[in-house]
Amino acid sequence: MPIRKKQELDTPVLLMDLDAMDYNLATMAQFSREHKVRVRPHFKNHCILPLATRQVDAGAIGITVARVRHAEALVGQGVQSILIANEIVDEPRIKRLLDLSHQAEIIVAVDNPQVIDDMGRWARNEKSPLNVVVDVDLGLGRCGASAQEALSLAQAALGAGLRVRGLMGYEGHLQKLLDTEESRRVRSVAAKTLVETRQLLEKNRIPVDIVTTGGTGSYKTLAGFAGITELQVGSYLLMETIYVPFVPDFRLGLTVLATVISKKDGDHLVVDAGVKALSGERGLSSIKDMGGLRLSTLHAEHGIVQITDPNTAPKVGDKLEFWVAYADATVHLHREMYGIRDGIVEEVFKIEY
Ligand SMILES: Cc1ncc(COP(=O)(O)O)c(C=O)c1O
């Protein structure tokens, strides 16, 4: 690959500081070893196949995904165990998962008796076993059955001929909390719900070998919890500014490089990165290594930056680097992520859609 400086890239462009990424990868891997807790990173954070492989090489037991096509792509790369931490409810995609089960361990979340029934029938028709975990709503109010329903769903799944492996519960509403006694308490209550549900299944002679939960905000609290078997951490690898106040353990590294394309009246300038390059969904980006500027508005292809200190303001043609506020949604806007070390492009990663 010819040597390219990041400043020479066509903007807007997604960059990742590789030193920060290596640090984050190694930090989670070391935590997992030291605390004897398994991690199964969520693919949606980066959607990059070689990074999933690096996570597995660093000790992850497999990968978590939300989409069937991501499961297929990862198995194609040799990942041996995939959790689909999402409800897949239609026959064509369940058939694809059944096909995939011949090449790798595939585990899918369930929360609905009708779907369980259908899945059992489709699996029997294909003469293929299917692993499921019962998804329990821990208060997020998204997918997942109530803890009280989990036993009957597990029994229904067994009755339908599915392989019940255990439980999943994602407490997404408890991720971005400061590390206080209260946040540790509420996270422990959620974890306890899963562990007690596990015990209920076991009392009813349903063996449980997977209890999967957690994220980048809660990984530390959950690691010490007997009965939880694995953590579905996602954001730790690339990180994002909205996580920083809550999880100082990982380094920020994900940015979008943009060019200043217009500047008027000295009070604002315009860059060529708008909502098609930077998600503003959960907050606006701050600007790396440059004071006196504040991103105020995102149009489709333009970002409006207020100049608070005219003495330091860049000029038209200069480049500005924006810290990514919300990684999952920003990565999804790009086809490639450029891995940067010491200002030079070292790797180019294709982003799966
Ligand atoms: C089901 C599920 N598991 C795990 C995660 C990972 O969480 P985080 O990115 O906070 O580590 C998410 C994030 O949205 C999720 O939806």
Side-chain angles (χ1 to χ4, degrees):
M1 195 163 67
I3 292 179
R4 262 193 300 176
K5 294 185 184 144
K6 71 177 179 189
Q7 303 292 342
E8 293 165 3
L9 294 170
D10 184 4
T11 60
V13 62
L14 184 68
L15 310 179
M16 182 67 200
D17 175 338
L18 293 176
D19 287 336
M21 190 176 80
D22 291 348
Y23 175 87
N24 295 344
L25 183 69
T27 301
M28 186 58 83
Q30 188 180 347
F31 181 85
S32 158
R33 280 192 304 274
E34 281 179 5
H35 293 82
K36 300 194 176 17
V37 60
R38 292 185 270 187
V39 293
R40 186 190 287 275
H42 207 309
F43 188 63
K44 73 183 173 53
N45 174 242
H46 50 75
C47 295
I48 292 171
L49 297 171
L51 297 191
T53 309
R54 278 177 215 185
Q55 289 172 309
V56 171
D57 291 345
I61 57 161
I63 298 291
T64 302
V65 299
R67 298 180 177 186
V68 170
R69 60 174 178 258
H70 287 168
E72 290 167 333
L74 287 158
V75 171
Q77 292 297 301
V79 177
Q80 279 304 303
S81 179
I82 307 281
L83 166 71
I84 296 106
N86 210 7
E87 279 63 15
I88 307 297
V89 301
D90 53 284
E91 187 172 6
R93 285 188 298 168
I94 291 294
K95 277 196 176 155
R96 281 159 58 190
L97 291 181
L98 289 164
D99 282 350
L100 213 52
S101 304
H102 297 295
Q103 299 168 58
E105 180 183 53
I106 303 295
I107 308 149
V108 61
V110 289
D111 71 355
N112 178 289
Q114 180 60 53
V115 173
I116 287 173
D117 236 40
D118 291 341
M119 265 186 188
R121 196 175 58 258
W122 298 329
R124 280 195 301 281
N125 290 347
E126 298 295 309
K127 297 190 176 38
S128 216
L130 188 58
N131 297 296
V132 297
V133 282
V134 175
D135 188 2
V136 177
D137 181 5
L138 299 176
L140 175 60
R142 196 170 68 183
C143 297
S146 68
Q148 294 74 21
E149 289 168 291
L151 174 62
S152 63
L153 288 174
Q155 286 168 330
L158 281 177
L162 300 170
R163 276 191 193 156
V164 176
R165 300 290 300 275
L167 298 166
M168 150 176 165
Y170 176 60
E171 16 64 290
H173 58 306
L174 305 180
Q175 295 305 321
K176 292 181 180 86
L177 300 177
L178 290 171
D179 184 26
T180 61
E181 229 171 82
E182 177 58 11
S183 67
R184 284 193 290 274
R185 187 190 68 76
V186 290
R187 284 172 180 153
S188 300
V189 168
K192 214 164 145 233
T193 301
L194 272 183
V195 172
E196 286 174 357
T197 311
R198 171 190 187 142
Q199 289 161 352
L200 183 65
L201 262 57
E202 287 172 337
K203 247 192 234 148
N204 284 272
R205 290 185 297 282
I206 302 176
V208 170
D209 70 319
I210 296 176
V211 179
T212 174
T213 182
T216 300
S218 61
Y219 80 103
K220 271 191 172 153
T221 312
L222 298 178
F225 243 89
I228 301 287
T229 65
E230 59 183 62
L231 304 179
Q232 312 172 3
V233 283
S235 301
Y236 77 96
L237 191 68
L238 304 186
M239 275 301 280
E240 56 193 15
T241 55
I242 53 171
Y243 241 131
V244 170
F246 312 107
V247 191
D249 320 10
F250 303 102
R251 282 173 55 183
L252 273 183
L254 192 64
T255 56
V256 168
L257 187 71
T259 304
V260 178
I261 58 167
S262 179
K263 190 175 171 191
K264 277 185 224 83
D265 306 333
D267 73 339
H268 78 270
L269 53 82
V270 183
V271 293
D272 60 356
V275 284
K276 290 167 80 173
L278 266 176
S279 166
E281 191 91 6
R282 297 194 177 169
L284 289 176
S285 292
S286 51
I287 299 166
K288 187 179 171 189
D289 297 335
M290 176 92 58
L293 298 175
R294 184 179 58 80
L295 177 64
S296 62
T297 318
L298 292 171
H299 295 196
E301 296 279 16
H302 301 84
I304 314 295
V305 176
Q306 301 304 319
I307 300 172
T308 54
D309 180 358
N311 299 319
T312 58
K315 53 186 191 316
V316 170
D318 285 353
K319 307 280 165 148
L320 285 184
E321 213 170 330
F322 293 83
W323 289 116
V324 168
Y326 180 20
D328 294 4
T330 298
V331 165
H332 183 68
L333 301 170
H334 295 263
R335 302 206 170 143
E336 288 164 333
M337 181 177 87
Y338 285 74
I340 308 292
R341 212 183 300 271
D342 299 327
I344 303 291
V345 178
E346 191 174 291
E347 289 181 87
V348 185
F349 302 101
K350 175 175 176 271
I351 296 166
E352 302 296 311
Y353 78 101

